[in-house]
Amino acid sequence: MPAPAAPDPPGVRSGVLLIAVFAIATCGIVYELLASTIASYLLGDSVTQFSTIIGVYLFSMGIGSYASRYFQRELIARFIEIEILVGLIGGLSSPVLFFAFSETAAFRLVLYGWVTATGVLVGLEIPFLLRILKDQFPLDDLVSRVLSLDYLGALAASLLFPLWLVPRVGLMRSSFVFGALNVAVAVWTCHVFRRHHRRPRLTAQAYGALALLVAGAVFSNDLTSWSERRLYDDPVVLSRASPYQRIVLTSGAGGVRLFLNGNLQLSSQDEYRYHEALVHPGLAAVAAPRRALVLGGGDGMAVREILKDARVETVTLVDLDPLMTEIFGANEAFAALNDYALRSPRVEVVNADAFVWLESNPERYDFIAVDFPDPRTYSLGKLYTTTFYRRLAAHLAPGGIAAIQSTSPLVTRRAFWSVVATVRAAGLDAVPYHAPVPTFGEWGFVLASREPYRRPDALPPGLRFLTPDGLPSLFAFPADMAAVPVEVNQLNNQILVQYHREGWTDYVRGR
């Protein structure tokens, strides 16, 4: 009979497991945030994605915690096995979810199945650790130590994720790195508790899983490129993530295309139609447009159109994302698309939240172009509310006009007319119009001012789409785009987001 194994020093054993609490708590929150962020990128509506995924994840953790009562023997070995499994499932979450989105119609089934599996395993971890450590500390001291480290790990993950992981490490590499951290806890536990589990095969499995995840982290850029090639029709020429969004540019037969969080924003083949229509019907109608403001539009295309009017002396561009303005200002290939407008001495670029910036900035402008993405989420929907348009009105100089991107009056008819109604509810005169943009179809705009709008008799030279004779047709709406009864969009109801979502859903379903 072999001699009994000498016990490990209690201090070493408890110290290792307490460090493990912090590590696994950090990893667990990162997996939750990864799944929510990827779902938001691919499906849109970040509020819905984060709410449902967090709910499913927490519920699954509860299932895992309850199930831990059925494990009574070989707790150290079971804990190591759980760490290996949660590291592999959490670490592979990004490549699996991107692949599932491009290859199967059952993406949501894969998404919530993966979240559930991760949550159940994470829910098993803390109960196992409490039971393993119960002989090392008094109960009240043990619970306070474990829970405080668990919450501290959650804080670390919630700060690391938006400030460093998304913009610097990337979603793909982050999942592999934190999966590897989970498995590293298993490897460490294998060695510290080797006299307890006595399973060389378990140690080999932990090292094998660790090697796989480290290899994934090393080749994560290649995996990211591969997954994005599956998502987009044309070759991806630039892919970057900021704390605010994922920016992808493709280039192919359809020209250069810009995608934000997977949603097409422009195509170089016909974006001039959209941006000429956004800018010139309003700008040309201002008697003396010395100062102009662009809210959103970090691609610089609206700024390019404004600079065609020689009467404009200064243009201020306010865009939330410095990465956007850097790409379209500093990158030669993409700056050429806006005729290097962001490098003009007449242009000032400000990276700020337009909603907040309008409240704190006292300046007034003769012309304002509002070029935000469609109100597909509540964070974007706030930029189409009466609150926002009242702030906008305060920045209009006497005789000034604001031109507002307002979604498609054909596809999202109620959303378009809700924007019109919301501008009027904010105390401004609202003049709706539309223009055909082949990539997107009929697109809508609203001119907002304090005085009645008068169409201009002349436009700047060199326009490719608009002509003075063609302007009146932009303001005529056929029967299928005519006004319909709608509610005003306010911060406390965000009805516009619902209108927009319903319009696109009905369009996709062919209703």
Side-chain angles (χ1 to χ4, degrees):
M1 294 289 293
D8 292 303
V12 172
R13 193 164 54 190
S14 59
V16 167
L17 292 176
L18 287 174
I19 294 172
V21 171
F22 177 82
I24 64 181
T26 305
C27 293
I29 297 298
V30 168
Y31 301 146
E32 182 181 7
L33 293 172
L34 280 168
S36 301
T37 303
I38 292 170
S40 298
Y41 282 178
L42 300 177
L43 300 175
D45 191 3
S46 59
V47 172
T48 298
Q49 307 312 326
F50 272 83
S51 297
T52 55
I53 288 173
I54 288 172
V56 170
Y57 189 81
L58 292 176
F59 175 73
S60 302
M61 287 179 64
I63 294 174
S65 296
Y66 183 82
S68 66
R69 64 188 296 187
Y70 297 106
F71 296 86
Q72 299 295 334
R73 302 175 59 187
E74 299 183 326
L75 294 182
I76 292 292
R78 296 288 84 79
F79 174 74
I80 293 169
E81 290 169 350
I82 290 167
E83 289 306 291
I84 295 171
L85 283 173
V86 75
L88 285 172
I89 293 176
L92 294 172
S93 59
S94 287
V96 166
L97 292 178
F98 278 117
F99 178 80
F101 184 79
S102 63
E103 299 300 324
T104 177
F107 172 72
R108 283 182 172 83
L109 181 62
V110 176
L111 170 66
Y112 290 105
W114 211 262
V115 169
T116 299
T118 308
V120 168
L121 290 169
V122 171
L124 287 167
E125 292 174 318
I126 296 301
F128 267 60
L129 285 171
L130 286 170
R131 288 161 64 188
I132 293 170
L133 288 167
K134 64 183 175 61
D135 296 328
Q136 306 299 318
F137 303 97
L139 180 62
D140 54 350
D141 187 30
L142 172 61
V143 172
S144 64
R145 289 189 186 211
V146 169
L147 291 184
S148 61
L149 286 168
D150 185 53
Y151 296 145
L152 184 61
L155 173 64
S158 63
L159 294 176
L160 281 172
F161 192 81
L163 299 179
W164 184 60
L165 293 178
V166 173
R168 302 293 182 186
V169 181
L171 297 178
M172 192 75 71
R173 180 168 285 133
S174 292
S175 68
F176 283 117
V177 167
F178 280 85
L181 177 58
N182 248 137
V183 177
V185 170
V187 170
W188 193 12
T189 307
C190 279
H191 285 285
V192 173
F193 292 88
R194 60 188 175 276
R195 288 191 294 271
H196 291 263
H197 67 82
R198 296 181 181 179
R199 293 188 180 183
R201 182 178 297 179
L202 192 59
T203 303
Q205 290 170 348
Y207 273 109
L210 182 62
L212 174 65
L213 292 166
V214 169
V218 171
F219 294 102
S220 60
N221 288 339
D222 295 327
L223 285 169
T224 300
S225 299
W226 176 84
S227 66
E228 288 182 335
R229 286 197 299 269
R230 312 286 294 184
L231 291 174
Y232 301 100
D233 294 332
D234 295 327
V236 175
V237 293
L238 183 143
S239 177
R240 301 276 298 277
S242 77
Y244 311 104
Q245 59 198 346
R246 184 156 191 84
I247 303 169
V248 174
L249 286 134
T250 67
S251 181
V256 175
R257 296 190 170 199
L258 168 66
F259 295 83
L260 300 180
N261 291 346
N263 297 292
L264 179 62
Q265 299 299 306
L266 66 82
S267 168
S268 62
Q269 281 194 333
D270 56 17
E271 57 79 16
Y272 66 90
R273 280 177 165 252
Y274 168 90
H275 290 101
E276 286 184 12
L278 171 67
V279 169
H280 296 295
L283 179 59
V286 178
R290 295 186 304 105
R291 306 184 69 210
L293 172 67
V294 178
L295 302 176
D299 51 53
M301 310 300 177
V303 174
R304 176 197 66 203
E305 294 302 320
I306 292 172
L307 292 177
K308 291 179 181 178
D309 193 321
R311 299 174 300 166
V312 176
E313 297 174 5
T314 63
V315 183
T316 301
L317 169 65
V318 179
D319 189 273
L320 177 64
D321 195 343
L323 182 58
M324 272 287 289
T325 52
E326 176 191 337
I327 289 171
F328 285 93
N331 186 295
E332 288 294 325
F334 303 123
L337 297 174
N338 60 42
D339 293 340
Y340 306 98
L342 301 187
R343 303 181 187 180
S344 169
R346 290 193 281 166
V347 175
E348 177 190 11
V349 175
V350 178
N351 293 120
D353 184 334
F355 194 89
V356 177
W357 186 87
L358 286 178
E359 183 69 9
S360 60
N361 188 283
E363 302 296 330
R364 293 192 172 192
Y365 300 88
D366 304 301
F367 176 73
I368 303 175
V370 183
D371 191 16
F372 297 129
D374 275 9
R376 61 179 64 91
T377 67
Y378 294 111
S379 58
L380 291 169
K382 74 177 184 180
L383 303 172
Y384 293 79
T385 58
T386 50
T387 302
F388 181 82
Y389 292 140
R390 289 190 185 106
R391 293 184 181 183
L392 186 72
H395 289 269
L396 280 175
I401 294 176
I404 303 167
Q405 187 283 112
S406 305
T407 82
S408 170
L410 181 62
V411 176
T412 56
R413 187 175 176 184
R414 288 198 296 170
F416 174 79
W417 290 105
S418 178
V419 175
V420 176
T422 304
V423 170
R424 289 172 178 163
L428 294 169
D429 182 59
V431 178
Y433 65 106
H434 64 98
V437 182
T439 295
F440 298 100
E442 288 291 336
W443 213 255
F445 309 88
V446 176
L447 294 175
S449 59
R450 292 190 181 86
E451 296 83 20
Y453 172 72
R454 294 181 180 180
R455 284 197 294 268
D457 297 324
L459 295 170
L463 301 187
R464 301 170 61 188
F465 169 55
L466 291 183
T467 64
D469 292 340
L471 274 182
S473 65
L474 273 60
F475 297 87
F477 283 81
D480 60 353
M481 294 193 295
V484 291
V486 290
E487 294 182 43
V488 169
N489 189 46
Q490 299 178 359
L491 275 176
N492 66 339
N493 70 1
Q494 291 271 20
I495 190 65
L496 181 64
V497 177
Q498 180 181 331
Y499 286 154
H500 184 271
R501 185 181 303 148
E502 290 174 351
W504 277 106
T505 299
D506 290 346
Y507 176 77
V508 170
R509 292 176 177 174
R511 294 179 183 174

